[in-house]
DNA sequence: CTAACTGCAAACCTTTTGCATTGAC
DNA sequence: GTCAATGCAAAAGGTTTGCAGTTAG
């Protein structure tokens, strides 16, 4: 959701030789304008608002395609709201998702974790990380009771 | 999968007041003996080998129960093998899952990440982490070509 | 022109649920 | 004995697929 990709996903898709259809333009618009994480159904509903003829299967197919190409990430946000999957345009900077298990709020604090962690893992294990997903469940500031706040 | 929990899950369940049925004993056995991460269907198949009368719904219900009680974790391992969910007994020490996007191998290097990270997140954001999931996709040592190995 | 993409509808797979029965405590 | 847990079967999600028609390059 950090939307500040200077080049639109559309450009990347074009550059990779994908055909640019009206439906794909619509879908990308929906993803780029999202103010929160959307599951496939929500993406579909928003896309249909812009283009009532767009079909659910197209949403799934395109989302899968972009996922396979590494252009969007699929999240499950600790399954706090059921087994839905959420999609976001692959951010250039790795970030954590903090999911409140009480109210469902999702925060995404920034940080230099990714490069550090990637280097560390590579060094320690020989594994070469390409993508990462990190989600923490817990209580957001607003959902912590006084007692919660005390037991650090 | 780090199986070395000195006290069996069964004891914890008993201590928390859950009824100990034959089916639950079977399911825990399956989880504790698993040599890799199992999805619900695989858990079901292995449980049925030990007790042919056990029902799928029981597996799902119990897995959900244990998940809600924080005794097992649900993983998706970067969706490398489709949208399956995998289950593991909640390890006492937080660990990362490294999932090879080529061969599907899963590594779990140890490390003191969890306490450090938990403290850092709490300090930086006010969020109080209770559970974490961290998965990295990439290439395991065996799947890296010489060129891969070079471009660190 | 042709391969890629889409809409449609049906199939698929996984998970959940209501209900009567069984069994743990 | 009582309430929780189970088996069963049906329903509910959510996602995928085959096919014929459409369209981008």
């Amino acid at each position: 959701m950090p939307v500040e990709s200077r080049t639109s996903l559309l450009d990347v898709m074009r550059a990779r030789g994908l055909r640019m259809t009206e439906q794909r333009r619509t879908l990308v618009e929906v993803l780029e304008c999202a103010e929160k994480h959307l599951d496939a159904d929500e993406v579909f509903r928003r896309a249909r608002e812009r283009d009532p003829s767009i079909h659910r299967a197209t949403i799934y197919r395109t989302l899968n395609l972009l996922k396979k190409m590494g252009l969007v990430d699929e999240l499950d946000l600790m399954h706090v709201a059921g087994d839905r999957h959420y999609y976001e345009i692959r951010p250039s900077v790795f970030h954590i998702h903090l999911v409140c298990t009480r109210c469902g709020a999702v925060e995404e604090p920034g940080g230099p974790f990714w490069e550090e962690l990637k280097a560390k893992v590579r060094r320690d294990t020989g594994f070469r990380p390409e993508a990462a997903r990190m989600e923490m469940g817990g209580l957001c500031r607003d959902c912590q009771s006084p007692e919660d706040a005390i037991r650090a």
Side-chain angles (χ1 to χ4, degrees), chain A residues 6-150:
Chain A
R6 53 205 138 299
T7 66
S8 167
L9 222 200
L10 291 175
D11 297 321
V12 184
M13 290 168 70
R14 235 186 306 268
R16 299 238 203 148
L18 292 180
R19 290 208 175 162
M20 294 314 306
T21 64
E22 202 45 43
Q23 293 87 335
R24 289 181 175 180
R25 262 186 284 275
T26 302
L27 188 151
V28 169
E29 239 175 82
V30 167
L31 290 182
E32 288 187 334
C33 298
E35 79 293 356
K36 59 169 186 168
H37 294 95
L38 312 178
D39 62 17
D41 187 61
E42 182 70 30
V43 172
F44 170 57
R45 269 181 280 129
R46 294 190 181 196
R48 200 177 36 182
E49 276 175 28
R50 296 164 192 251
D51 170 6
S53 75
I54 203 170
H55 198 275
R56 219 188 202 90
T58 302
I59 299 295
Y60 279 108
R61 277 190 282 233
T62 309
L63 245 18
N64 277 337
L65 179 68
L66 295 177
K67 190 172 65 173
K68 259 180 218 147
M69 301 189 73
L71 299 177
V72 306
D73 283 325
E74 188 181 14
L75 315 170
D76 58 37
L77 301 178
M78 301 295 291
H79 294 114
V80 166
D83 285 342
R84 262 173 274 284
H85 295 153
Y86 302 85
Y87 297 87
E88 70 176 6
I89 296 174
R90 180 101 116 205
S92 43
V93 206
F94 171 66
H95 60 275
I96 299 181
H97 291 103
L98 302 179
V99 188
C100 180
T101 48
R102 190 172 300 169
C103 73
V106 181
E107 297 176 60
E108 306 183 16
F113 293 115
W114 178 220
E115 285 305 327
E116 291 169 26
L117 213 52
K118 188 173 159 182
K120 180 173 169 51
V121 167
R122 178 123 178 110
R123 202 179 327 114
D124 291 359
T125 67
F127 184 91
R128 186 158 66 89
E130 306 263 352
R133 167 189 309 155
M134 173 147 195
E135 297 169 354
M136 289 190 174
L139 296 178
C140 69
R141 195 189 290 277
D142 294 341
C143 286
Q144 291 175 42
S145 65
E147 311 88 72
D148 287 333
I150 288 168

